[in-house]
Structures are given as C-alpha cells and as structure tokens.
Amino acid sequence: MNTDKAEIFADSLAERIMEMRRRSGADADGRITVLIDDKPFKILAGSTAAAAIAYATDDVGVTRRSLGGALRAPLCGTGVCQECRVTIDGRAHRLACQTLCVQGMHIDTARVAV
C-alpha cells in the first residue's frame, strides 16, 4: 500500500471510530459506562464485553465456571471455544468476545453466578 492510500485508509478508519463512539453515547474521552457484576466501569466505546471484563477485573477476566466449578476465561477470541459466555442484559450464554459494549450494558460473570 502506498503512502497516499495508507493515509486515506487511516483517515477513513478514524472517522468511522469517531462516528461509532458518537452513536454509542460515549463521553468526550470516547468512553461509555458498563456495569460488570453490578459495579460501574468506564471503558472505551467499541470494546468487546470480554475486553471490558479483562480491563475491569484484577484476574485474567474470568467469565464463567465449568460444570466442575473451575473458573474459565476467554481463550480463542472468535467465539468458537465458548469459554467467554456471560449474562448480558439478562440474556444468558452471550459470547463476550463477540459482543460490543453499549452505554449502560449489564454484564454478569461467574463471580455473581455463585
């Protein structure tokens, strides 16, 4: 890609990101508030629920428990492994790695499921 095309692409991408943040209800810093296990966190608009969980927690981003009770966290980032399942806005088994956060979203992980 030559320099002109790269600059056009970068400008276009920046415009799309700004538009997405504006539509999401983001503040001036491009952040939205989500509730993770009933605690509010400010995250960048456009973040996935898995990224928000990892940012907001002091562990590896635990999302659920296995049938045997072991803590689980996102693994593949594409939704194939299903390890990132959480409850989002009351809907169980949502894939956190494939769900973009929106203003006011409620995310419940394994920490509240016990």
Side-chain angles (χ1 to χ4, degrees):
M1 188 180 306
N2 66 35
T3 304
D4 291 337
K5 287 183 181 178
E7 287 175 9
I8 291 169
F9 177 77
D11 290 344
S12 174
L13 181 60
E15 288 173 15
R16 287 184 286 173
I17 290 170
M18 293 306 293
E19 177 64 16
M20 181 268 312
R21 287 183 177 165
R22 185 189 62 73
R23 285 185 186 179
S24 71
D27 62 17
D29 291 333
R31 296 185 181 278
I32 58 174
T33 301
V34 297
L35 293 167
I36 300 174
D37 297 334
D38 297 322
K39 296 177 189 166
F41 291 94
K42 288 273 205 182
I43 61 162
L44 284 175
S47 297
T48 64
I53 293 165
Y55 170 77
T57 58
D58 56 358
D59 51 30
V60 294
V62 170
T63 53
R64 67 180 199 89
R65 291 182 182 271
S66 68
L67 292 175
L71 296 175
R72 309 301 274 182
L75 178 65
C76 71
T78 63
V80 174
C81 73
Q82 306 270 313
E83 294 295 345
C84 65
R85 288 177 289 160
V86 293
T87 299
I88 297 177
D89 292 335
R91 294 181 63 198
H93 308 295
R94 306 294 297 173
L95 298 177
C97 71
Q98 297 295 299
T99 305
L100 293 179
C101 291
V102 295
Q103 178 68 30
M105 178 183 276
H106 293 243
I107 304 168
D108 294 321
T109 69
R111 284 185 276 306
V112 295
V114 228

